[in-house]
Every structure is written in C-alpha cells, then in structure tokens.
Amino acid sequence: MASSDTESSANVTPSADDRDLTTAHSRRRFFALGASAAAGLALGTTAEAQRPVGRPQPLPAGNTPGTDPSAQWNDPLLRLVRRVTMGLAPADVALARQLGYNGYLNYQLRPAAMDDSVLESQIASRLPMTQMSADMLRTSDGGEVVAQLADAAWYRAAFSKAQLRERMIDFWTDHFTISINKAGFLKMVDDREVIRPHALGKFPDLLKASAHSGAMLFYLDQNSSRTPTPNQNYAREIMELHTVGVDGGYSQNDVAELSRILTGWSMTNAGVFRFIRSYHDRNAKTFLGRTFPAMPTTATDAQMEAEGDLAIQMLLDHPATAKYISWKMARWLLAYEPPAAVVDATAAVFTRTGGDIPSMIRTILSSKNLMAAPAKYKRPFHYAISGLRALGADLTTVPNIRSVRTRADQMGMPLYQWEQPNGYPDRVDWWSGLVITRWSYAQALSVLNSTTAARVDSMVFRAPDSAEGVVTQIGARFFGGEFPTSLRASLLSYLKGGTYNDARVRETLSLALSAQEFQWY
C-alpha cells in the first residue's frame, strides 16, 4: 500500500484521517508560530484508527525533520542514557547518575545480572504462545503467533531493565532480517533461540546460530537448496548482509560456489536444523581462493556438513567482516557517518576479542566519541516505545499492549514485517516524511485511559498541580532536564492559554511528544 500524509476530503462528514489532519495543522501552527498563536487550539481526544501507511518512501536528499538538538545536550551521562535505552525514563537517569558513565554502561552490558523476572513472568502469563515449543506453534493460529511475538517485543523494549540488550536486539533483528510474513512461527523460535540469547554475546556465535536457524533457512530458501541447481539466496546474503559486506571483495562466482558448499543445510518441519545428504554437492569447489576437494561417496554426513562450517569460519576470519560489522554497529550506536578512526578501533577490538559485542560497544560509546556525535532520528518503533517510557507507563498501567502497538504500526514499522533481507532502514530521510502519523500516535497515546488495555496517569505530571509543575515534569521526564528554553516557553504558554484541566494537560503532553526535539536521541 502506498503511503500518504493526506487523504481525500470528498465526504461531508470528517473521517478519522481528516480529524488527524486537523490535529496535524494545529501542531504545525503550534510549533511554527509558538504557543501564543496556538493557545486557542483544541486537539481532538478520540483515538481513531488510521489506515496503515505501508512502506514509507525516503525524502529527497537534504530533507531533515528540524534541527539536530544535540548542540544543547551538554551532559555526557544523558547522552549515554539516550543511546543505550529505548527512551529516557527517570529510573534509568537516576541509576546512571548513581553509577556514573562507565558504571552505567557496564551495568547495561551485563543483562544476566539484572532481575527481569516479574516482566518475564507477566509476558509468559499474558502471551502464552511465547512459551510454546516449535511443534505446538506449528499447529497454532499463525496470526496470533505473530501478534504475541510483537507484543512481547514491545513489553520488553518498554519495561526491561536490560535496555541496551533491547537496543541491540532491534539492531540484530534487522541485521539478520527474517520476514515473519514468510517464516511464520519459525520467527518466534529464531527470536528466542538466536537473536535474544546472543545479542550481547559474541558475533561468531550469533552468526552460527543464525546459519542453523530454521527461520533463516526457510526465509532465504536454503532449506530446499540442492545439487545440481542450488539456490543462491542465503549464500549471497550471508556475505553481502551478514559478514563481509557488499564491498567485501567476493565475486559472483564465490556466491555460486558457497551455494554449492551449503547444499544439504536444511531443516525439519518444526524448523530444527538438519543436514540432508542427498542434497549435497560433493564435487570440488573453490571459495574465496580456497579449494574444497571433491568428496568420496564414503564421506560421512558430518564431513559434508563441515564444508559449510569451514566456509562460515572463513567469512568470520575475513578482515572485511570485522570492518563491516564494526561500521554497522558504530552507525547504529553513534552516528550515521561514524568516524573512520572509531570504526578501525572497533574492528581491532573485534579481531582481538573474537567478535565480543560488549567490548566493541565500549569502544564505540566512549564519552569522547558520544560527546562528538550528532543526534540520531528515532525510527517509529523507537519513537513509539520512548513515548510510553516518557509518559511513565509500566506493566500495571499497560495490561494489554496490543492496542498501542497496532496504533504505532501505522507509522510504517510493524515488527518483523520488512520483506527484503536488508532490514528496516536506519536513515533519517527514510522516516522523516511521516511526521503526521507520529503526531497522531502522540495524541492517541496521551489520551489513553483504559484499565483493561493501557492508561496514562496524567497525575504523574501534575506534581505540583499547576501549569508550571506540569511543564517542569515534562522537562525532567521527556528530556532529562535538558529542556530547550523555547519549547518550555511554548508548552507553558499553551497550557496557560485555556482552562487548566486534565484534558489541557494531556494535550500538552501530546504536543511535547510531537515536538521535533523529542524525535531525536
């Protein structure tokens, strides 16, 4: 479905989309003219559903959503919390101040030491399919499997203490993209057995687990690849996207030869890896300059399968892999154009530590590097979760996260549904054209007041219960105290421009979530 910020207005009765556009125009006036000019605006309070926006299209080069606000971010600690969490929250800021920069980073790099048992218990209770075996999932309602996996990801991203792990799970989920629309229940298994356990482990373990994942093998048609006409999809993507990168020095012949080496790598109906002897090409092959001799008919299954293991190890040992993974991680955590010196230093750490992900992150996220880095633009999933965290949501106020998640999906980033193997883009120009859908989500979030689905407790912000008190709380909870003076003045003016009541407070929260300063991290 093509995305669009505007819909037909031919109907006499305003549609939900028309009401969203009315809200959008109000917000444009608020942020363009200041609160004094917008004091009389009334935002709609009904969270109507929109049609999904589908796959967004990038804006022309040079189009960015406002000014990078990082020039006003003077606190290294707050910069770190922004980068390693899914959004500022008072508890994380307080813990970071207690532990200090390196202490908090080390804390986030050791998720096994954190107690998320309450969260995991609630996920198991509310989303029982996340606990099912592959055999059970295979015969379950496929749509509900997809929904429960996404719901679980949202709960963890919003409420887990291990925020950096969630950030890296988001990263590796895109790096090893598998569209759930094709893989189905197998993606549930991949998420819990491949991505999550290895997100802060060692890259070789992650790559090898992915190479044996039924979801990955099925998604890229490796499960049916056999001699004499092997499928080249997985052979191409494991090089271009997973290891050495498109400029890693391999040829199309290397793709073809690797596809022959990997013939026989398949899976059972339940998605468990298995090697199928009759599929394997036993003839001689040459991959990245190394000869794989022809194998006799007496070769064992293990010997034939080991050809694939050796080829994967060759990719792991290739210097281009260290460089590519380091560049991509630095781009994710630090800057869209990471300094070459940072990439080189991180690649050296990759080589020295055998691809230890926490060691690489420590190198990337030094205080010096982070203070020199520009802000990055939140992708829709990140923005949506950061809104929940800023508003003080928790497990008790969000007993059913699905209604919030499906509303956020209209921003164009439903989890696990990117069809191409390259993952959702991490580019400001790709996402910045969908501002209206963000405003719509912010407005819907601010008025949540359901005890059975999700509720935002506006009284958290009314302490003290005055316009000044609300704006002070917004500055602390949304921005960690690094609150732009002009935005503070505009929000305060808007809040004072009408009757001070709960509706006006929630409108102000919505405007703060919509502010361009909140779109960055």
Side-chain angles (χ1 to χ4, degrees):
M1 179 184 296
S3 64
S4 174
D5 285 338
T6 58
E7 302 288 349
S8 172
S9 57
N11 295 331
V12 174
T13 302
S15 67
D17 293 325
D18 295 329
R19 286 190 286 274
D20 286 330
L21 285 171
T22 300
T23 296
H25 292 313
S26 298
R27 289 162 192 263
R28 283 200 187 100
R29 290 180 60 201
F30 178 87
F31 293 114
L33 304 177
S36 60
L41 296 175
L43 300 182
T45 57
T46 302
E48 302 285 356
Q50 285 183 305
R51 287 187 288 277
V53 298
R55 175 177 171 176
Q57 296 299 317
L59 294 175
N63 282 264
T64 57
T67 304
D68 174 355
S70 61
Q72 300 183 53
W73 295 349
N74 298 316
D75 188 339
L77 202 58
L78 284 177
R79 283 190 177 232
L80 177 65
V81 178
R82 287 188 185 95
R83 289 305 169 95
V84 304
T85 70
M86 294 295 292
L88 290 180
D92 283 282
V93 173
L95 182 60
R97 296 210 181 283
Q98 176 188 336
L99 298 177
Y101 190 100
N102 291 330
Y104 182 69
L105 180 56
N106 287 332
Y107 167 80
Q108 284 292 339
L109 288 170
R110 297 176 182 135
M114 301 179 192
D115 182 8
D116 262 341
S117 58
V118 173
L119 170 64
E120 291 302 322
S121 175
Q122 287 297 308
I123 289 173
S125 174
R126 299 176 189 184
L127 306 168
M129 286 182 172
T130 61
Q131 312 303 306
M132 288 183 178
S133 68
D135 278 324
M136 294 175 67
L137 289 169
R138 185 160 63 97
T139 57
S140 298
D141 181 330
E144 186 61 18
V145 171
V146 171
Q148 291 200 19
L149 175 59
D151 288 349
W154 264 66
Y155 272 124
R156 291 182 174 116
F159 306 131
S160 173
K161 295 183 179 73
Q163 283 288 293
L164 179 52
R165 179 175 61 188
E166 295 307 311
R167 285 273 292 134
M168 293 309 295
I169 285 168
D170 194 15
F171 172 75
W172 293 122
T173 296
D174 278 327
H175 185 82
F176 294 102
T177 290
I178 296 168
S179 172
I180 202 166
N181 295 325
K182 179 174 180 180
F185 78 93
L186 294 172
K187 180 56 193 169
M188 175 83 83
V189 180
D190 180 87
D191 182 74
R192 71 186 182 206
E193 296 183 2
V194 178
I195 301 298
R196 290 188 173 276
H198 299 292
L200 283 175
K202 292 209 168 189
F203 180 76
D205 296 334
L206 175 55
L207 178 69
K208 291 172 184 177
S210 176
H212 289 80
S213 165
M216 180 62 75
L217 298 177
F218 183 75
Y219 171 59
L220 291 176
D221 304 308
Q222 177 59 40
N223 63 305
S224 59
S225 181
R226 60 189 299 171
T227 189
T229 56
N231 187 293
Q232 296 184 5
N233 287 351
Y234 183 59
R236 177 177 295 104
E237 306 310 351
I238 194 175
M239 289 193 285
E240 178 180 331
L241 299 176
H242 300 171
T243 56
V244 297
V246 68
D247 297 319
Y250 64 90
S251 66
Q252 174 54 37
N253 186 65
D254 288 316
V255 173
E257 293 293 271
L258 181 56
S259 72
R260 294 176 59 212
I261 290 169
L262 292 171
T263 48
W265 284 47
S266 190
M267 65 179 198
T268 67
N269 288 337
V272 178
F273 177 86
R274 68 167 175 167
F275 181 79
I276 301 179
R277 179 187 184 90
S278 61
Y279 285 12
H280 189 63
D281 185 337
R282 293 184 291 104
N283 296 310
K285 315 163 192 81
T286 301
F287 175 60
L288 294 178
R290 177 167 182 163
T291 299
F292 287 65
M295 306 189 81
T297 57
T298 56
T300 66
D301 289 6
Q303 288 173 323
M304 289 188 281
E305 181 184 336
E307 285 194 324
D309 294 328
L310 175 57
I312 290 173
Q313 190 61 50
M314 289 172 62
L315 291 172
L316 284 166
D317 294 339
H318 199 294
T321 295
K323 189 73 170 283
Y324 178 65
I325 299 302
S326 297
W327 170 80
K328 198 168 180 184
M329 283 178 57
R331 192 179 184 281
W332 176 253
L333 292 167
L334 192 66
Y336 293 116
E337 297 181 4
V342 174
V343 175
D344 291 343
T346 308
V349 171
F350 180 105
T351 302
R352 186 178 71 250
T353 64
D356 184 67
I357 296 167
S359 297
M360 297 168 70
I361 291 175
R362 286 190 184 94
T363 301
I364 294 167
L365 288 181
S366 72
S367 177
K368 177 182 177 181
N369 289 344
L370 201 46
M371 287 304 292
K376 291 193 65 184
Y377 193 68
K378 296 174 184 175
R379 301 194 303 176
F381 176 55
H382 191 161
Y383 171 72
I385 296 295
S386 70
L388 275 175
R389 288 170 59 80
L391 290 171
D394 59 31
L395 279 172
T396 62
T397 61
V398 190
N400 185 347
I401 208 164
R402 188 166 304 177
S403 61
V404 182
R405 176 180 63 77
T406 54
R407 181 65 188 235
D409 285 351
Q410 294 160 12
M411 291 187 283
M413 194 180 171
L415 294 183
Y416 317 116
Q417 294 188 42
W418 185 258
E419 300 296 338
Q420 293 80 18
N422 58 347
Y424 277 111
D426 182 25
R427 288 166 40 192
V428 63
D429 64 334
W430 191 270
W431 300 111
S432 57
L434 295 173
V435 175
I436 290 177
T437 62
R438 291 185 180 228
W439 293 348
S440 177
Y441 173 78
Q443 186 267 335
L445 204 59
S446 68
V447 299
L448 288 174
N449 199 23
S450 168
T451 57
T452 58
R455 177 174 57 87
V456 167
D457 183 3
S458 60
M459 293 306 297
V460 170
F461 293 86
R462 297 170 67 175
D465 196 0
S466 64
E468 289 80 3
V470 170
V471 172
T472 297
Q473 288 286 352
I474 289 173
R477 292 173 175 275
F478 285 38
F479 303 102
E482 291 184 324
F483 199 7
T485 303
S486 59
L487 177 59
R488 186 187 190 284
S490 294
L491 292 172
L492 185 60
S493 179
Y494 181 82
L495 193 50
K496 289 182 173 181
T499 303
Y500 178 79
N501 54 24
D502 189 68
R504 195 72 175 183
V505 169
R506 289 177 182 271
E507 290 169 9
T508 306
L509 295 176
S510 174
L511 290 168
L513 291 174
S514 302
Q516 73 94 8
E517 292 89 345
F518 191 75
Q519 314 305 308
W520 302 80
Y521 69 101

PDB file of all heavy atoms in Angstrom, residues 38 176 225 278 310 343 405:
ATOM      1  N   ALA A  38      -1.197  29.643  19.217  1.00  0.00           N
ATOM      2  CA  ALA A  38      -1.943  28.390  19.183  1.00  0.00           C
ATOM      3  C   ALA A  38      -2.739  28.152  20.446  1.00  0.00           C
ATOM      4  O   ALA A  38      -3.283  27.085  20.646  1.00  0.00           O
ATOM      5  CB  ALA A  38      -0.970  27.232  18.968  1.00  0.00           C
ATOM      6  N   PHE A 176      19.931  -9.547  10.726  1.00  0.00           N
ATOM      7  CA  PHE A 176      19.561 -10.891  10.284  1.00  0.00           C
ATOM      8  C   PHE A 176      18.057 -10.924  10.005  1.00  0.00           C
ATOM      9  O   PHE A 176      17.320 -11.723  10.571  1.00  0.00           O
ATOM     10  CB  PHE A 176      19.926 -11.913  11.362  1.00  0.00           C
ATOM     11  CG  PHE A 176      21.399 -12.069  11.605  1.00  0.00           C
ATOM     12  CD1 PHE A 176      22.004 -11.471  12.702  1.00  0.00           C
ATOM     13  CD2 PHE A 176      22.191 -12.807  10.741  1.00  0.00           C
ATOM     14  CE1 PHE A 176      23.363 -11.615  12.944  1.00  0.00           C
ATOM     15  CE2 PHE A 176      23.559 -12.964  10.965  1.00  0.00           C
ATOM     16  CZ  PHE A 176      24.146 -12.358  12.066  1.00  0.00           C
ATOM     17  N   SER A 225      17.614 -25.971  -1.020  1.00  0.00           N
ATOM     18  CA  SER A 225      18.745 -25.850  -1.953  1.00  0.00           C
ATOM     19  C   SER A 225      19.458 -27.195  -2.099  1.00  0.00           C
ATOM     20  O   SER A 225      19.885 -27.791  -1.107  1.00  0.00           O
ATOM     21  CB  SER A 225      19.724 -24.794  -1.442  1.00  0.00           C
ATOM     22  OG  SER A 225      20.805 -24.643  -2.330  1.00  0.00           O
ATOM     23  N   SER A 278      21.565 -36.286   0.584  1.00  0.00           N
ATOM     24  CA  SER A 278      21.285 -36.399  -0.854  1.00  0.00           C
ATOM     25  C   SER A 278      21.232 -35.043  -1.551  1.00  0.00           C
ATOM     26  O   SER A 278      21.308 -34.980  -2.780  1.00  0.00           O
ATOM     27  CB  SER A 278      19.960 -37.137  -1.069  1.00  0.00           C
ATOM     28  OG  SER A 278      18.885 -36.419  -0.475  1.00  0.00           O
ATOM     29  N   LEU A 310      33.232 -24.702   7.646  1.00  0.00           N
ATOM     30  CA  LEU A 310      34.525 -24.119   7.287  1.00  0.00           C
ATOM     31  C   LEU A 310      34.338 -22.826   6.501  1.00  0.00           C
ATOM     32  O   LEU A 310      35.029 -21.822   6.751  1.00  0.00           O
ATOM     33  CB  LEU A 310      35.339 -25.117   6.467  1.00  0.00           C
ATOM     34  CG  LEU A 310      36.684 -24.613   5.914  1.00  0.00           C
ATOM     35  CD1 LEU A 310      37.588 -24.119   7.041  1.00  0.00           C
ATOM     36  CD2 LEU A 310      37.368 -25.715   5.098  1.00  0.00           C
ATOM     37  N   VAL A 343      35.609   3.297  13.676  1.00  0.00           N
ATOM     38  CA  VAL A 343      35.373   2.020  13.004  1.00  0.00           C
ATOM     39  C   VAL A 343      36.631   1.159  13.053  1.00  0.00           C
ATOM     40  O   VAL A 343      36.574  -0.040  13.365  1.00  0.00           O
ATOM     41  CB  VAL A 343      34.919   2.240  11.554  1.00  0.00           C
ATOM     42  CG1 VAL A 343      34.793   0.905  10.827  1.00  0.00           C
ATOM     43  CG2 VAL A 343      33.595   2.996  11.513  1.00  0.00           C
ATOM     44  N   ARG A 405       0.343  -0.929  20.306  1.00  0.00           N
ATOM     45  CA  ARG A 405       1.263  -1.397  19.255  1.00  0.00           C
ATOM     46  C   ARG A 405       0.638  -1.273  17.869  1.00  0.00           C
ATOM     47  O   ARG A 405       1.292  -0.800  16.929  1.00  0.00           O
ATOM     48  CB  ARG A 405       1.661  -2.852  19.516  1.00  0.00           C
ATOM     49  CG  ARG A 405       2.534  -3.438  18.409  1.00  0.00           C
ATOM     50  CD  ARG A 405       2.912  -4.873  18.670  1.00  0.00           C
ATOM     51  NE  ARG A 405       1.788  -5.783  18.726  1.00  0.00           N
ATOM     52  CZ  ARG A 405       1.137  -6.238  17.654  1.00  0.00           C
ATOM     53  NH1 ARG A 405       1.461  -5.813  16.424  1.00  0.00           N
ATOM     54  NH2 ARG A 405       0.131  -7.091  17.787  1.00  0.00           N
TER      55      ARG A 405
END
